[in-house]
Amino acid sequence: MTMPASRVQRVGVFCGARPGARPQHLRLATEFGEALAQRGTGLVYGAGGVGIMGAVADAVLDAGAPVTGVIPRQLYEREQPDESRTEVIVVETMHERKALMYRLAVGFAVLPGGLGTLDELLEVATWNQLGIHHKPLVLVNRGGFFNPLLTLLDNMVSDGFISQEERFVIQVASGVEEALDCLVSPEPRPERPTIPPATISRTPAAPTPAT
């Protein structure tokens, strides 16, 4: 049974528009999408109909949960969004895409992907660090895909560029259920000042870049 879209919280997922070289990445995407829907939660993602992105969205939709895709006009043709089952919002720029996804989602999961996935991950982490928002963020690190990144983050701490508290803005889970525990039912955390969100529109204003 399909859930009423207006009543469902959504988790943002950052992941690749390619399938990757190992079948385990697509299996993880499908498992994550199914588990997300089973928790009564919808999906916000980059609207791609291919690769890891497409596998996550298909699994969520097949399980009856709503999916919202946000995509820049320039990528609309390349990433083949499925508008027959998915709400697709077309924006003008990548900045607008990220800003709208950040407002719509209650938290963010990061699955295997490339440069765009890293860009989204680090921007959300930076917005948390600056207090622009305070939403949970978790890497789904099955098979050690993100181990090199975690080593880099630890080096940033030891070399004095980020604090230990800032390092753990990026949470890590080895499995799907553990990741969803961090996102759907996060532990209470201290309130921090936030910038009031802008009104969501079909063509949202681009965020002011953090410096």
Side-chain angles (χ1 to χ4, degrees):
M1 182 175 65
T2 302
M3 299 175 227
S6 62
R7 301 179 184 177
V8 178
Q9 289 188 325
R10 288 168 170 79
V11 163
V13 174
F14 304 138
C15 57
R18 297 179 182 180
R22 293 183 287 172
Q24 69 186 50
H25 299 318
L26 286 175
R27 289 197 296 267
L28 173 61
T30 298
E31 183 181 336
F32 188 90
E34 291 172 348
L36 185 69
Q38 287 168 4
R39 295 214 181 190
T41 305
L43 170 70
V44 174
Y45 82 125
V50 293
I52 306 297
M53 296 172 73
V56 173
D58 285 345
V60 174
L61 289 166
D62 290 345
V67 171
T68 299
V70 185
I71 190 166
R73 196 173 304 280
Q74 184 180 6
L75 298 182
Y76 183 80
E77 294 297 330
R78 182 193 306 177
E79 298 190 0
Q80 305 170 29
D82 179 6
E83 296 183 81
S84 64
R85 299 193 295 166
T86 306
E87 177 189 22
V88 176
I89 302 174
V90 180
V91 296
E92 295 302 321
T93 68
M94 291 293 288
H95 294 294
E96 291 176 3
R97 178 199 225 178
K98 291 186 289 185
L100 182 53
M101 288 178 68
Y102 300 168
R103 294 202 297 273
L104 291 174
V106 298
F108 306 92
V110 186
L111 276 60
L115 296 178
T117 302
L118 285 177
D119 172 56
E120 292 162 334
L121 159 67
L122 294 174
E123 184 160 328
V124 167
T126 300
W127 284 30
N128 268 319
Q129 179 191 38
L130 297 176
I132 296 174
H133 65 201
H134 195 59
K135 297 182 178 182
L137 170 65
V138 60
L139 299 177
V140 187
N141 192 36
R142 179 179 292 175
F145 177 83
F146 289 108
N147 284 354
L149 174 61
L150 298 176
T151 298
L152 175 60
L153 293 171
D154 290 338
N155 287 343
M156 290 178 177
V157 174
S158 61
D159 278 2
F161 288 100
I162 60 175
S163 69
Q164 194 77 2
E165 179 185 12
E166 291 165 338
R167 158 68 182 83
F168 288 109
V169 162
I170 301 175
Q171 303 176 72
V172 183
S174 60
V176 167
E177 296 298 337
E178 181 186 356
L180 289 173
D181 286 342
C182 297
L183 296 169
V184 179
S185 301
E187 291 296 323
R189 301 172 74 178
E191 291 294 325
R192 295 171 63 180
T194 59
I195 296 174
T199 301
I200 296 173
S201 64
R202 289 287 168 172
T203 309
T208 301
T211 58

